[in-house]
């Protein structure tokens, strides 16, 4: 079964509402003819404006995190119901910046994932090794632990609603891309871990993205790899021209 490519922008902590409006207006006509799935994961404060601007277009809007709790005394957290009421479709979970600066762990990612799935948000679960881990040949151990911990206890149906993103930490925002062979090798490994947790058949249906300095220059080569089903685009998603070239890599 062919897996539909999914190209997701991760705006991180960039773009005020005014800037978001300009970027989305510029982006809409540039990506309207693609057959690939297009997502922009925007700051919470841009969600309502982004959803409104993307209504009736092929662009879906995502958030960059969600609380595991349904509601209550969790200062600064944002719940799944809050996101859904604004029309949010996707949510990024376990991004390496959350793991690195905000204490996110496989257990907290797993708790957020279960809530997102129960509520009907579509999660994008990020995994990836640091440079030190890669240099010490620990990539597979680290990735296996993140995938198994992050996806623990979800149903087969939930798995099919989940997108995985392999983002080597050393390639994020550094201009250093993993070579397409390195990305393919690790993503193939992610798929084999999922096959062990579930079944090979299911693992072959799950979409797995690459992320880390993906841009108009390297997207074609990465997307030519059999196991790479899309990308998470940080820096290059902040310019409509660049992001649209990534989305339209197959044109
Ligand atoms: P980058 O970020 O494209 O700027 O490397 C990707 C990401 O962190 O999702």
């Amino acid at each position: 079964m062919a897996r539909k490519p999914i190209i997701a922008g991760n705006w991180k902590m960039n773009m005020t509402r005014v800037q978001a409006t300009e970027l989305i207006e510029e982006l809409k006509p540039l990506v309207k003819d693609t057959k690939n799935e297009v997502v922009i994961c925007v700051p919470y404060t841009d969600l309502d404006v982004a959803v409104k601007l993307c209504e009736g277009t092929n662009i879906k809007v995502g958030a960059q995190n969600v609380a595991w709790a349904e509601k209550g005394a969790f200062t600064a957290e944002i719940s799944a119901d809050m996101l859904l009421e604004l029309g949010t479709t996707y949510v990024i979970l376990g991004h390496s910046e959350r793991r690195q600066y905000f204490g996110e762990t496989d257990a907290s990612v797993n708790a957020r994932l279960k809530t997102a799935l129960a509520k009907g948000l579509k999660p994008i679960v990020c995994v990836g090794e640091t440079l030190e881990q890669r240099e010490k040949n620990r990539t597979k151990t680290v990735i296996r632990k993140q995938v198994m911990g992050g996806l623990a206890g979800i149903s087969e149906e939930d798995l099919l609603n989940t997108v995985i993103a392999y983002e080597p930490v050393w390639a994020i925002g550094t201009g250093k891309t993993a070579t397409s062979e390195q990305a393919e090798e690790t993503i193939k490994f992610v798929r084999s871990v999922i096959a062990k947790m579930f079944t090979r058949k299911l693992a072959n249906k799950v979409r797995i993205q690459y992320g880390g300095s993906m841009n108009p220059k390297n997207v074609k080569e990465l997307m030519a790899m059999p196991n790479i089903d899309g990308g998470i685009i940080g820096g290059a998603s902040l310019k409509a021209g660049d992001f649209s070239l990534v989305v339209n890599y197959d044109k």
Side-chain angles (χ1 to χ4, degrees):
M1 193 201 71
R3 299 179 297 260
K4 183 173 179 167
I6 172 169
I7 307 291
N10 174 13
W11 289 8
K12 310 193 179 187
M13 196 177 73
N14 295 292
M15 298 287 146
T16 65
R17 288 162 68 88
V18 170
Q19 293 166 333
T21 304
E22 283 174 20
L23 177 54
I24 293 168
E25 289 295 14
E26 206 185 325
L27 185 64
K28 283 197 285 192
L30 300 177
V31 297
K32 70 175 179 20
D33 296 322
T34 183
K35 288 195 195 75
N36 303 323
E37 192 166 355
V38 189
V39 184
I40 50 173
C41 296
V42 306
Y44 293 129
T45 48
D46 293 342
L47 281 169
D48 64 337
V49 91
V51 167
K52 203 165 287 166
L53 290 168
C54 293
E55 235 163 44
T57 75
N58 60 336
I59 305 173
K60 291 175 188 136
V61 176
Q64 299 168 13
N65 207 355
V66 67
W68 58 76
E70 192 158 335
K71 62 177 177 172
F74 298 97
T75 302
E77 286 288 288
I78 300 287
S79 76
D81 286 338
M82 292 168 185
L83 295 181
L84 287 163
E85 195 178 275
L86 295 181
T88 311
T89 306
Y90 277 92
V91 63
I92 296 175
L93 297 174
H95 190 278
S96 65
E97 286 149 20
R98 299 298 316 170
R99 295 176 191 260
Q100 190 178 345
Y101 304 123
F102 302 99
E104 204 79 63
T105 62
D106 294 335
S108 65
V109 172
N110 184 246
R112 292 180 197 276
L113 174 67
K114 284 175 175 159
T115 302
L117 287 164
K119 290 287 181 177
L121 286 164
K122 294 184 180 195
I124 300 176
V125 177
C126 304
V127 298
E129 81 288 2
T130 63
L131 185 59
E132 196 193 347
Q133 289 163 339
R134 176 161 282 263
E135 283 173 349
K136 288 187 176 157
N137 277 327
R138 294 191 51 228
T139 300
K140 285 189 176 172
T141 311
V142 169
I143 298 291
R144 184 187 297 112
K145 186 174 159 290
Q146 289 178 346
V147 172
M148 293 188 69
L151 302 184
I154 68 167
S155 69
E156 295 189 347
E157 193 192 337
D158 283 343
L159 175 71
L160 295 179
N161 286 320
T162 302
V163 176
I164 315 293
Y166 167 59
E167 302 201 288
V169 178
W170 47 272
I172 293 178
T174 56
K176 260 194 216 168
T177 335
T179 64
S180 40
E181 287 77 19
Q182 281 173 323
E184 168 67 13
E185 190 196 350
T186 313
I187 288 177
K188 199 171 162 193
F189 177 72
V190 170
R191 210 178 287 289
S192 76
V193 174
I194 296 173
K196 281 212 184 90
M197 291 178 73
F198 296 87
T199 62
R200 171 50 67 181
K201 199 172 160 203
L202 276 174
N204 285 343
K205 289 185 181 171
V206 176
R207 292 186 294 177
I208 310 179
Q209 300 168 301
Y210 168 77
S213 300
M214 204 178 196
N215 60 45
K217 287 205 184 89
N218 56 32
V219 60
K220 249 197 195 127
E221 202 186 315
L222 286 159
M223 290 302 294
M225 292 290 151
N227 279 288
I228 303 183
D229 305 319
I232 294 224
I233 324 300
S237 73
L238 300 176
K239 289 195 181 123
D242 282 352
F243 186 60
S244 68
L245 286 171
V246 176
V247 169
N248 295 317
Y249 72 90
D250 48 351
K251 289 246 155 83

